[in-house]
Amino acid sequence: MDPRLRDHTPGPEALRRAADDGVDLERLKIDDPVAYMVRNAGTVVTAAPELAHLAEGMLTAAFPDRQVFRAEVAEGVRVLAFPPLDGEELRSYDRWLAPLVDRPEWRARHAYYREVGDLRGVGRELGLPQGPDAYRGGEGVIGPFEDGADADAWAEEHVTRPLVHDSFPMNGRWFCDVFRAEAP
Amino acid sequence: MLPDDDVLLLTPGPTPIHPRAQAALGWPMRGHMDPEVFAYNDRIVADLRRLYGTGEGSFTSLLSGTGSLGMEAGLANLLEPGERVLVLSNGAFGERMVEMAARLGCDVHALRFEAGAPVDVDAAARAARSLRPALLAVVHGETSTGVLNPVPELGAVAREAGALFSVDAVTTVGMMPFAMDAWGIDYAYTGSQKCLSAPPGVAPVAFSARAMERVAQRRLPVATWYADALGMRRYWQPDEGGRQYHHTVPVQLHWALGEALAAALEEGLEARAERARRVGSAALAALQDLGFRAYVPAPHRLPTVLAVVPPSGLDEAAVRRSLRSEHGVTVAGGLGPTAGKVWRLGLMGENAREVHYRRFLDALGRVLGEAGLRERFDEVLEPALA
């Protein structure tokens, strides 16, 4: 058996979900190793589809011992690793990925990579802002705007409860982070 | 203080410098745009075509850097950010490709194989059919483990998938016949200090005509100006505007590489392959008598790097230290997946010589208190072909 599987012990969250789903994880480890790894993988970053290859490629390169998975979700592409990265490894991953996002072709499109804490918990986002004209509601990073006042003015007009906004500068332009302030 | 000249480099690179290359290092300095340099470079271009077995419309030259620059130049020229590359990896140098491609912002997929085992052609074909990469990349001879990968078969895989095919030939080309065109290779590279036994510092590279077309059709400029193939070609190949300055090439290293390359072609690639095989087989037999064993099974064993597993209980690092400090013989330990597990003995260029292996085995016998190693080597050494 692959030593990554053999030596792996499920965390409390995976055990709880397995109990909820009636899945025997030890059995699954033998019968369907890939399904076991997916159940026990940890999210590394949620990426915009156009940027997902950067997130996956750097994960593959920086952690060759990890199995990399991707899942398409409403927010984009969730990139996962089995076994999950620990805190120090995630910080190391940040140091690898951030310079790529800062390359001219992505900087020109205002790509961002950040750690966010919201109602869903703490996670990493690799994204591209949505232009103000293309905004059709919901959460996201909107911009660019010329300055903070422009960003706030746009938000006053478009962002309504339960959504709220924060305006922030990035590479000389301003953006609105639109997010949900309370559970639906 | 000058270094001791009696040290034997039995490592998988750098190798002892060929006498002709050593002499060429002392040739007079010339400017990088001088006619003598262009004439000499033209000979290097032609000799590299023979070395690599290139086809019509290929571009061969030297990059001013080591084999790692050759690796990075191939990925940077043949891929644009976001384009898909499938790396077949079974050692430290395959992993280096993965990292470089990721840093270039490519869509990197790594198909990994056990260290010490070759790339599985069927698995590679399945992955290539499914992923349809723009580039398939592999290391021919994985220096870190001593495995020879099945490059001709993988060339067919790349063609079927419609991918360009890049081959790291760092530990193979120059020490065995290499058929870039016949094997469907679009880009190959090596380092001067490996099978050609020149000083480190230049990377002989070869682009196929198809690869150069791909570079010419790029949407974005090559991310590295220094190793941009189109910029390099304007220096190496005159066009209607003549030759154009690109950067100051290391002329002395060109002299040395050119002489080492000429010597290799004069000896013949078949003859060099046979030399490595004879010396390597005899060395392995002598080492097996001491309890060493080959790390890689014979069919997949790289003829230019002999990876051996020391007998259990032997403090391999201490023995290597003694070989170096007491006898001036340098052998390499493992690298990456083989670190602490194997010794790696070079059989490239000038280190695949009987005289060097006799000296190594004499020294090893003294360190271990074992007699007869050199005699065993001579006993099993097949006579050289006339």
Side-chain angles (χ1 to χ4, degrees):
Chain A
M1 183 185 281
D2 182 332
R4 291 175 304 183
L5 277 171
R6 189 192 58 217
D7 303 336
H8 182 259
T9 307
E13 175 61 19
L15 286 170
R16 186 191 59 73
R17 280 190 292 112
D20 289 350
D21 299 343
V23 172
D24 177 347
L25 284 176
E26 282 309 306
R27 188 75 252 160
L28 191 66
K29 196 184 262 193
I30 295 158
D31 292 346
D32 191 346
V34 172
Y36 178 90
M37 287 193 276
V38 170
R39 270 190 169 270
N40 288 279
T43 299
V44 177
V45 58
T46 302
E50 290 156 285
L51 295 168
H53 71 274
L54 294 182
E56 290 176 87
M58 203 42 95
L59 187 58
T60 300
F63 298 96
D65 58 326
R66 297 307 210 279
Q67 191 70 42
V68 177
F69 296 101
R70 64 150 49 207
E72 293 187 9
V73 294
E75 301 85 17
V77 176
R78 189 168 292 157
V79 179
L80 306 104
F82 175 86
L85 302 190
D86 64 25
E88 185 50 44
E89 289 171 323
L90 281 169
R91 282 186 288 281
S92 165
Y93 179 71
D94 293 344
R95 289 192 290 275
W96 283 75
L97 189 58
L100 269 188
V101 181
D102 201 34
R103 284 164 55 112
E105 62 268 30
W106 296 118
R107 197 180 168 94
R109 296 182 62 187
H110 311 290
Y112 59 89
Y113 177 55
R114 62 180 188 167
E115 186 175 313
V116 289
D118 59 20
L119 294 168
R120 291 178 292 263
V122 177
R124 283 164 167 74
E125 274 182 11
L126 175 61
L128 292 167
Q130 196 177 348
D133 294 341
Y135 183 70
R136 297 288 179 270
E139 295 177 286
V141 173
I142 317 300
F145 299 97
E146 283 305 311
D147 53 36
D150 277 0
D152 287 335
W154 177 88
E156 289 300 319
E157 196 177 326
H158 293 89
V159 179
T160 53
R161 302 289 292 184
L163 298 174
V164 293
H165 87 279
D166 275 338
S167 297
F168 65 97
M170 179 170 66
N171 297 331
R173 307 296 293 275
W174 281 78
F175 297 84
C176 264
D177 190 3
V178 180
F179 56 98
R180 194 174 290 278
E182 54 204 47
Chain B
M1 190 181 83
L2 285 171
D4 183 345
D5 66 358
D6 196 29
V7 166
L8 170 61
L9 292 174
L10 220 55
T11 56
T15 54
I17 295 177
H18 190 284
R20 275 175 67 176
Q22 187 76 56
L25 285 170
W27 289 2
M29 182 61 192
R30 289 288 183 271
H32 52 286
M33 300 295 282
D34 278 352
E36 296 99 313
V37 173
F38 287 137
Y40 197 82
N41 284 349
D42 285 346
R43 198 189 83 189
I44 290 175
V45 165
D47 282 353
L48 286 177
R49 287 190 177 137
R50 285 177 61 199
L51 182 84
Y52 279 110
T54 60
E56 192 68 27
S58 63
F59 170 50
T60 53
S61 69
L62 303 179
L63 300 181
S64 305
T66 63
S68 292
L69 178 63
M71 180 186 285
E72 197 144 46
L75 296 166
N77 277 277
L78 301 179
L79 290 167
E80 301 206 43
E83 281 195 319
R84 185 167 289 172
V85 54
L86 174 59
V87 179
L88 308 170
S89 170
N90 55 350
F93 293 94
E95 290 307 308
R96 188 172 293 185
M97 284 187 199
V98 173
E99 180 180 338
M100 284 181 178
R103 286 185 185 218
L104 287 166
C106 301
D107 180 10
V108 189
H109 293 255
L111 185 61
R112 294 185 164 105
F113 300 88
E114 192 183 339
V119 165
D120 181 293
V121 175
D122 291 336
R126 283 194 298 276
R129 273 196 293 271
S130 150
L131 292 167
R132 292 278 158 190
L135 180 74
L136 182 72
V138 73
V139 177
H140 192 190
E142 195 25 279
T143 322
S144 64
T145 60
V147 170
L148 184 67
N149 282 319
V151 157
E153 292 83 351
L154 293 170
V157 168
R159 276 197 298 278
E160 189 202 318
L164 293 175
F165 186 35
S166 171
V167 173
D168 177 315
V170 164
T171 49
T172 53
V173 79
M175 211 55 194
M176 61 180 71
F178 196 87
M180 184 160 165
D181 191 39
W183 295 345
I185 298 170
D186 292 296
Y187 178 69
Y189 55 93
T190 185
S192 47
Q193 80 282 15
K194 295 284 190 168
C195 294
L196 294 172
S197 286
V202 286
V205 300
F207 289 84
S208 72
R210 197 164 74 127
M212 289 307 289
E213 276 169 33
R214 173 70 190 84
V215 180
Q217 290 164 1
R218 289 177 63 93
R219 192 171 46 86
L220 296 172
V222 177
T224 159
W225 176 91
Y226 194 52
D228 181 335
L230 297 180
M232 293 287 294
R233 190 167 64 177
R234 285 191 283 271
Y235 173 77
W236 284 83
Q237 287 183 355
D239 55 21
E240 59 275 13
R243 298 186 196 253
Q244 293 178 30
Y245 164 66
H246 186 258
H247 65 271
T248 306
V249 299
V251 170
Q252 255 68 19
L253 295 181
H254 284 209
W255 300 148
L257 183 280
E259 290 309 292
L261 176 57
L265 293 173
E266 285 164 21
E267 182 183 0
L269 299 177
E270 294 277 3
R272 287 165 76 84
E274 176 61 13
R275 175 156 63 82
R277 190 197 63 75
R278 285 177 60 246
V279 174
S281 301
L284 178 60
L287 289 167
Q288 282 172 328
D289 283 0
L290 273 180
F292 285 78
R293 63 179 173 79
Y295 180 63
V296 178
H300 311 300
R301 199 174 297 152
L302 179 58
T304 53
V305 178
L306 178 59
V308 288
V309 181
S312 60
L314 184 76
D315 184 346
E316 65 87 19
V319 174
R320 282 191 293 116
R321 277 195 299 274
S322 297
L323 283 170
R324 178 65 173 82
S325 61
E326 295 162 24
H327 302 280
V329 176
T330 307
V331 299
L335 179 68
T338 60
K341 296 178 186 166
V342 303
W343 283 7
R344 294 175 305 134
L345 300 163
L347 291 157
M348 291 183 277
E350 288 306 294
N351 61 18
R353 297 279 180 198
E354 296 163 29
V355 61
H356 294 330
Y357 272 83
R358 288 192 185 102
R359 176 176 165 188
F360 158 63
L361 291 167
D362 268 345
L364 183 61
R366 288 199 193 97
V367 171
L368 297 179
E370 294 277 349
L373 285 180
R374 174 188 174 141
E375 289 72 17
R376 174 70 175 143
F377 175 83
D378 282 328
E379 187 184 304
V380 296
L381 185 69
E382 296 168 32
L385 298 173

